[in-house]
């Protein structure tokens, strides 16, 4: 009997061959500062497809040039980015995996010379003070996500993930720690959710495929959102057509985080079972038996691996062996 980790999973019209997901991890490798795909990206992502991963999610990709974390981030703010991203999609598909892209805006965590924006003029410690976003800034952000989704569809991506975590712009609007606004985008939980809601609506106007949202379900600040608040937000996202919540934590403010294997799985578990929405679990899941336990006990639907796939691009093959599952290998590698 095949392990659950290697069972297929269908979201809308997309079927993943297994439950292993490569989580978005910035590569900071667009060296011409133009946000375009380079050879590093082609090799990096394709090797994980060869390695047996079911879904690969491309790193945080900026929907606006001022929404980059650094000048070396990938971008999707221009039609000129589509051809390079389509190359990535084709390479990954040729090697048996599905591919998603994380659409992102860095907000106050952008390390750029240009003016940066946030819900309120509160800097991330040690970084420059952002401008409090005005109505035109917000309109531009929403339009940036819409156009980013349109380009992602044109490039052929299977999945879109919205970056709503780790202290970046949408997370900043969601949290009372960073959102001190008194207009329709702040002041209470309904208003703080408004920007994310508008972004989801904008993406849905041009995209009908699987839609994930990444959240920091523990903000590690006593004044921040509780897990209960994120369960409520997850219910709202489900009602808007979001298919899966990618449950991570932290990044909003500096914090001492006690990290251990599976330290964020409870977030995925609680949201999955209280908001009745599919979730992805992430955070130091490196042992195949641990990944299998998370799935078999109904704590998450997909397992997201990050640094482990940097260390070991072929983790899936070792995991299959450990779980007594036969995993089809590329013909070129079968002699091994």
């Amino acid at each position: 009997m095949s392990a659950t980790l290697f069972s297929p999973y269908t979201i809308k019209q997309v079927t993943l061959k297994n439950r292993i997901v490569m989580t978005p991890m910035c590569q900071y490798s667009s060296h011409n500062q133009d946000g375009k795909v380079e050879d590093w990206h082609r090799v990096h992502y394709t090797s994980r497809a060869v390695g047996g991963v079911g879904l690969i999610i491309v790193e945080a990709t900026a929907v606006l040039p001022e929404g980059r974390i650094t000048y070396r981030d990938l971008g999707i703010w221009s039609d000129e980015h589509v051809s390079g991203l389509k190359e990535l999609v084709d390479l990954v598909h040729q090697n048996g995996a599905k591919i998603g892209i994380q659409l992102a805006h860095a907000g106050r965590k952008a390390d750029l010379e240009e003016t940066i924006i946030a819900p309120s003029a509160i800097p991330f410690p040690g970084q420059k003070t952002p401008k409090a976003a005005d109505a035109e800034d917000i309109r531009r952000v929403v339009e940036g996500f819409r156009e980013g989704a349109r380009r992602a569809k044109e490039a052929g991506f299977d999945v879109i993930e919205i970056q709503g975590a780790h202290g970046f712009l949408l997370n900043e609007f969601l949290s009372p720690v960073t959102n001190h606004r008194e207009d329709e985008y702040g002041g209470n939980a309904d208003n703080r959710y408004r920007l994310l809601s508008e972004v989801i609506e904008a993406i849905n106007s041009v995209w009908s495929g699987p839609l994930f949202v990444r959240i920091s379900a523990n903000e590690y600040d006593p004044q921040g959102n509780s897990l209960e608040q994120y369960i409520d937000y997850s219910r709202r996202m489900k009602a808007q057509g979001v298919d899966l919540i990618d449950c991570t934590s932290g990044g909003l403010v500096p914090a001492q985080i006690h990290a251990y294997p599976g330290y964020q799985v409870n977030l995925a578990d609680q949201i999955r079972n209280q908001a009745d929405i599919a979730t992805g679990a992430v955070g130091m899941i490196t042992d195949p038996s641990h990944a299998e336990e998370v799935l078999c006990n109904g704590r998450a639907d997909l397992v997201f691996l990050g640094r482990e796939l940097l260390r070991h691009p072929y983790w899936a093959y070792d995991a299959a062996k450990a779980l007594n599952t036969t995993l089809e290998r590329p013909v070129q590698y079968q002699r091994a």
Side-chain angles (χ1 to χ4, degrees), residues 38-49:
E38 297 193 15
D39 284 346
W40 174 262
H41 304 103
R42 297 179 183 96
V43 173
H44 171 65
Y45 291 111
T46 305
S47 65
R48 275 69 188 178

Side-chain angles (χ1 to χ4, degrees), residues 6 17-18 51-52 316-317 320 325-329:
F6 292 97
K17 65 181 180 182
N18 61 46
Y317 296 119
T325 298
T326 300
L327 186 62
E328 184 178 353
R329 297 170 181 266

Side-chain angles (χ1 to χ4, degrees), residues 279-301:
T279 60
V282 64
M284 296 181 68
I285 300 171
T286 61
D287 184 272
S289 296
H290 184 195
E292 182 74 357
E293 177 274 321
V294 169
L295 298 171
C296 289
N297 282 326
R299 304 174 74 194
D301 299 272

Side-chain angles (χ1 to χ4, degrees), residues 1-7 292 296 320 322-326:
M1 182 176 178
S2 177
T4 303
L5 184 63
F6 292 97
S7 63
E292 182 74 357
C296 289
L323 297 173
N324 298 312
T325 298
T326 300

Side-chain angles (χ1 to χ4, degrees), residues 13 52 69 107 109 114 120 129 135 144 150 162 171 173 181 191 216 218 251 268 274 277 283 287 316:
Q13 73 276 23
I69 306 167
K109 294 181 84 173
E114 293 88 346
S120 303
T129 300
R150 177 186 64 79
I162 299 169
N171 188 187
F173 268 86
R181 301 175 73 95
N191 287 352
S216 281
N218 186 339
Q274 293 191 47
I277 188 169
D287 184 272

